[in-house]
Amino acid sequence: SSCSFRFTMPVDYSKFANIEDSDDEREEQEQKQREEMKKEMEIMQGRPADKPAARAAKTEVVKDDDDEKIEWYRHREWKPAEPKQEFAPSKLEQPAAVANDAGTQKKAEASQWNVAGTWEERNMMGWAKAELASLLVGISADVDGKGRVKVEKIDSIEGDCSIPIVRGRPRYIFDLCFSVHFVAETTIDGKSAKSKGTIQFDGFSHDDFEDEGCRMALKFTDEKSVGAAEKRAVVEACGATRRAVESGRGLCAALHKKLETFAASLQKQ
């Protein structure tokens, strides 16, 4: 009888050492590692690990808005519910004068719109120009029995005149300068003459008028044509000095009386 032997080669397993896991196996391993690390972190922070059911409950639900009705692009088509209205400004009428305790009429101090009593100012320059002309034009004075000097006109009125209302209380403010034009007709030593000139008034203000009066400067229009005797008489009759005004002599003293009337009239406006 004959015997036969089969020779078998040994298996080399080293060639399988470098075979990598499949993608599914790798992801499964990584997921396990992440879960283990999360559990360890929660245990270290004193929190219990999330249960699978809790994790499932936190799953975000994504809403499909493909069927949602979009209106944002229609803003150009929007129209107000009420029709357009045309507004026109309307004038606020001043309230009627209210009788005070004494039974007299007291004018409203502030405008109707200024109910809070804040700052408000009324410009009174137009009134001041008209009032000065009304009070001063036509005033005359005697020239020592030899004629008269008379105010012909007022011009060059400059400065400020206003009534500011602060916290409901009015203030009466004026600071003015102006020119008084005069004409003098005299008869001296049997000779008749006529001369013209101006008296410049400065410093007519609410602050110091009562105590100091106005600063005055007299000037003849054509001084060369005025005789010396006539000039002395006219200057004396005009009395454009502080001493003459205090003594009540001359044209300027009469003008100062009218300026006092001006200051009092402003407080009634």
Side-chain angles (χ1 to χ4, degrees):
S1 65
S2 59
C3 296
S4 61
F5 297 92
R6 179 176 295 174
F7 181 76
T8 302
M9 294 293 293
V11 178
D12 185 6
Y13 292 97
S14 61
K15 61 184 178 179
F16 301 105
N18 296 325
I19 296 177
E20 297 180 353
D21 296 335
S22 63
D23 293 340
D24 294 339
E25 293 175 343
R26 186 181 306 108
E27 290 180 0
E28 185 177 354
Q29 291 178 0
E30 291 176 353
Q31 180 66 25
K32 289 181 179 180
Q33 291 177 358
R34 285 195 294 268
E35 291 178 356
E36 291 177 356
M37 292 178 63
K38 184 178 179 180
K39 290 179 181 180
E40 292 177 359
M41 291 295 296
E42 291 177 346
I43 292 172
M44 293 176 62
Q45 295 176 1
R47 293 185 304 164
D50 291 340
K51 296 181 180 180
R55 289 198 299 269
K58 294 181 180 180
T59 304
E60 182 179 1
V61 178
V62 179
K63 183 180 179 181
D64 186 3
D65 57 358
D66 291 342
D67 298 332
E68 185 179 354
K69 189 176 180 180
I70 301 175
E71 296 289 344
W72 61 267
Y73 61 88
R74 297 183 183 273
H75 64 278
R76 295 179 183 273
E77 302 175 8
W78 178 85
K79 292 182 179 179
E82 298 180 359
K84 183 179 179 181
Q85 299 180 8
E86 296 294 337
F87 293 95
S90 58
K91 183 178 180 181
L92 292 175
E93 299 295 337
Q94 289 285 356
V98 180
N100 60 12
D101 296 337
T104 59
Q105 295 291 322
K106 183 179 180 182
K107 200 168 185 178
E109 295 177 348
S111 298
Q112 187 175 5
W113 59 265
N114 192 5
V115 294
T118 56
W119 174 273
E120 178 184 351
E121 184 175 8
R122 295 169 55 193
N123 187 350
M124 302 299 293
M125 277 301 294
W127 174 88
K129 292 178 180 180
E131 187 71 6
L132 286 174
S134 175
L135 291 172
L136 304 185
V137 173
I139 294 178
S140 63
D142 181 67
V143 185
D144 194 22
K146 302 174 182 179
R148 294 196 71 80
V149 56
K150 181 179 179 181
V151 176
E152 191 174 36
K153 67 176 181 177
I154 308 293
D155 64 6
S156 302
I157 302 174
E158 298 178 353
D160 176 65
C161 182
S162 61
I163 304 178
I165 300 175
V166 185
R167 297 181 181 178
R169 298 184 59 185
R171 308 281 199 278
Y172 302 96
I173 296 175
F174 59 91
D175 189 358
L176 301 168
C177 60
F178 51 90
S179 296
V180 176
H181 294 256
F182 67 85
V183 56
E185 296 181 354
T186 59
T187 302
I188 301 175
D189 297 334
K191 183 179 179 181
S192 297
K194 183 177 181 179
S195 58
K196 293 186 177 183
T198 60
I199 304 173
Q200 179 66 30
F201 279 72
D202 292 323
F204 176 44
S205 69
H206 63 283
D207 286 332
D208 51 16
F209 172 69
E210 293 184 1
D211 297 331
E212 300 180 10
C214 298
R215 296 185 297 275
M216 299 161 289
L218 187 150
K219 182 180 180 181
F220 286 94
T221 303
D222 188 4
E223 191 167 358
K224 293 182 180 180
S225 64
V226 182
E230 180 188 1
K231 182 178 180 181
R232 286 193 299 270
V234 172
V235 170
E236 182 69 21
C238 288
T241 63
R242 180 63 181 166
R243 180 177 297 178
V245 170
E246 290 177 349
S247 63
R249 302 192 318 269
L251 180 66
C252 288
L255 293 176
H256 271 70
K257 290 291 184 182
K258 292 296 183 179
L259 293 180
E260 292 177 2
T261 302
F262 173 93
S265 297
L266 179 61
Q267 298 189 20
K268 298 178 182 179
Q269 301 305 309

